[in-house]
Amino acid sequence: MNKNELIDSISKTSGLTKTDSAKALDAFITSVCSTLKSGGDVRLVGFGTFATSKRSATTAINPRTRQPVKVPAHNVAKFKAGKTLQDVVNSK
């Protein structure tokens, strides 16, 4: 499912127009991004948790040249599915 398909699904499920659904989705994405950028996390009970973690600096190998490449430390976005989401995905 891509973003346009998600907007269509939100529109059909909620009764909102596609424009309003797109605005709501964009607002959700913006809110999650700004919270993660500031170091916080977003917990949606039953659905999951969006969080960040720090990845330390490391040295990797360029497969073409076999030369070592320094990879700087950086933050990584993570998502951990909640129990309700896992149950829905694993139900038959």
Side-chain angles (χ1 to χ4, degrees):
M1 176 182 282
N2 62 30
K3 186 174 180 180
N4 287 331
E5 292 169 342
L6 181 58
I7 290 169
D8 289 340
S9 177
I10 292 170
S11 176
K12 289 175 186 173
T13 304
S14 67
L16 296 172
T17 65
K18 286 185 181 181
T19 303
D20 290 339
S21 298
K23 287 179 184 178
L25 181 60
D26 289 339
F28 172 75
I29 292 170
T30 301
S31 297
V32 170
C33 290
S34 64
T35 300
L36 294 178
K37 185 175 181 178
S38 67
D41 58 342
V42 178
R43 297 175 190 268
L44 303 172
V45 176
F47 183 72
T49 302
F50 296 92
T52 58
S53 66
K54 294 186 180 196
R55 188 168 286 172
S56 59
T58 186
T59 302
I61 303 281
N62 182 333
R64 284 190 179 172
T65 62
R66 304 279 185 209
Q67 296 296 318
V69 177
K70 292 183 179 181
V71 179
H74 58 282
N75 292 328
V76 190
K78 292 188 175 187
F79 176 77
K80 182 178 179 191
K83 182 171 179 1
T84 304
L85 179 60
Q86 288 179 351
D87 291 344
V88 168
V89 170
N90 290 316
S91 66
K92 295 183 180 181

